[in-house]
Amino acid sequence: MKKVCRKLAKKYYTPLKKVKANKVFAAQMTDKLKAYDLMREISDDLVYYQLEILYRGICNKECLEEMFLDAYVKMYDYWQDLDYQQRKHQVNVDLQPYLEQMCCFVYEGEVIYLPMFDRRMNQLYREEMVLFALKQYQRFKHAFQPYLHRDLYGHAPYASDFCSAELLLDDGKDWVLYEKRTTTLYLIQHDTIVETICLKPSEPCERETLLLLVEDYRKADEIAFLRHLLEYHLCDVKMEKKLARLLEKKHRKAEKQHRKKHKGE
């Protein structure tokens, strides 16, 4: 099975950071994270996704801070005449249209806009931006690094618009991401990519087809894996011929073992 995956990877795999259509976004993400001293080496595509989630969270954070400043300036002439609840209400009304357009996900009943922060910090940015009129809260605008966390929300950020891949499977043991841009499946355990299944660049595959391949791999059923690759034309003609020969070889071996087993009985 791993031998087949290696063949596919050699033929089709391109790291996300090298995908031409992704270069502009990757450069923007890198520049933003470097500005906050948060960039790290993209050693594999899972690290890319982790940085992508962090980047989109920081973009949300900056947007909310800018929108609060706009609301505050608009209300400046009568700010002191309002009590806390009135200020909070007006700021939240002004921010709501922007919140509705942002990446988010629901975790244990709470809407999370900043996956790199805990729920209290999310509540602050979601409902209490009025506090940013106070000096002690303004430090979060630049010096927020001590408040960063990873994996507070499990795989929920990967199932949202924070991640450009699709979370195809998450059963508590394994989880699988599918990248449409490179038609690549990532089988992940303990935050480590244990296998990539790379398919020919084409229109994105049907979810059911991808899940068949994942199930074949998890069952170590190489014959079914090869058969599904061929049946759904997930490789180019040249690769199909190689895999067809390998499938025929596997069938002959399986039949030989079957005859040997029954002869021994």
Side-chain angles (χ1 to χ4, degrees):
M1 187 79 76
K2 287 188 174 293
K3 185 176 179 181
V4 175
C5 290
R6 284 197 296 270
K7 285 179 181 290
L8 294 171
K10 185 177 181 180
K11 177 75 173 179
Y12 300 121
Y13 177 65
T14 302
L16 277 173
K17 63 183 180 180
K18 294 185 178 180
V19 174
K20 290 183 179 180
N22 197 41
K23 281 191 174 181
V24 173
F25 174 82
Q28 292 173 343
M29 178 178 75
T30 299
D31 290 345
K32 177 78 71 181
L33 295 179
K34 281 183 177 179
Y36 290 108
D37 197 26
L38 293 172
M39 189 61 193
R40 57 193 175 106
E41 181 186 357
I42 303 177
S43 55
D44 62 31
D45 288 345
L46 184 57
V47 173
Y48 175 94
Y49 292 129
Q50 292 166 351
L51 292 174
E52 181 183 45
I53 291 167
L54 175 59
Y55 166 76
R56 295 187 191 280
I58 289 174
C59 287
N60 278 0
K61 173 183 176 296
E62 290 181 341
C63 181
L64 288 171
E65 291 164 351
E66 290 171 8
M67 294 309 106
F68 165 74
L69 183 58
D70 288 346
Y72 176 75
V73 169
K74 185 176 71 174
M75 298 166 60
Y76 183 77
D77 290 341
Y78 56 92
W79 183 267
Q80 297 300 328
D81 298 328
L82 303 176
D83 62 27
Y84 174 79
Q85 290 300 331
Q86 289 171 325
R87 294 172 185 172
K88 176 180 175 180
H89 172 74
Q90 189 58 52
V91 167
N92 288 351
V93 167
D94 287 353
L95 290 182
Q96 188 58 37
Y98 300 97
L99 287 171
E100 291 173 358
Q101 298 175 40
M102 288 182 179
C103 301
C104 65
F105 58 89
V106 177
Y107 185 81
E108 295 183 351
E110 290 189 39
V111 182
I112 303 298
Y113 292 93
L114 311 174
M116 68 286 190
F117 288 152
D118 64 19
R119 281 189 272 184
R120 175 66 189 98
M121 284 286 282
N122 270 273
Q123 184 183 26
L124 171 65
Y125 274 83
R126 188 180 64 239
E127 302 170 12
E128 303 285 347
M129 283 294 289
V130 64
L131 293 173
F132 274 66
L134 304 176
K135 186 176 180 180
Q136 61 265 39
Y137 285 90
Q138 292 173 19
R139 72 186 188 277
F140 294 132
K141 190 167 185 179
H142 302 291
F144 60 88
Q145 288 81 351
Y147 303 92
L148 292 177
H149 297 277
R150 274 188 58 193
D151 304 326
L152 284 174
Y153 308 105
H155 302 143
Y158 296 91
S160 71
D161 291 335
F162 282 100
C163 182
S164 54
E166 177 186 356
L167 181 62
L168 197 67
L169 176 72
D170 184 4
D171 65 2
K173 178 185 176 185
D174 301 330
W175 53 295
V176 178
L177 293 174
Y178 175 58
E179 176 54 66
K180 292 181 181 179
R181 290 169 293 187
T182 58
T183 51
T184 300
L185 284 160
Y186 304 93
L187 281 67
I188 305 166
Q189 293 179 356
H190 309 298
D191 286 338
T192 300
I193 297 174
V194 295
E195 191 63 87
T196 57
I197 301 174
C198 307
L199 310 174
K200 72 175 180 182
S202 62
E203 291 297 317
C205 301
E206 294 291 331
R207 180 184 178 88
E208 292 75 13
T209 303
L210 297 170
L211 287 172
L212 275 176
L213 292 178
V214 171
E215 191 62 21
D216 293 339
Y217 185 91
R218 295 173 77 192
K219 289 180 177 178
D221 190 341
E222 191 167 11
I223 288 178
F225 186 71
L226 288 166
R227 181 167 54 79
H228 287 135
L229 285 170
L230 294 169
E231 180 182 345
Y232 293 101
H233 302 290
L234 301 177
C235 305
D236 58 39
V237 174
K238 188 174 180 180
M239 180 62 73
E240 281 187 347
K241 289 179 180 178
K242 291 180 180 179
L243 297 183
R245 289 195 294 269
L246 181 58
L247 178 59
E248 185 179 352
K249 182 179 178 181
K250 294 289 179 182
H251 273 306
R252 287 200 301 268
K253 183 177 179 181
E255 289 171 1
K256 184 177 180 181
Q257 290 175 341
H258 180 73
R259 288 195 299 270
K260 185 177 180 180
K261 179 181 176 181
H262 281 276
K263 184 177 180 180
E265 291 175 352

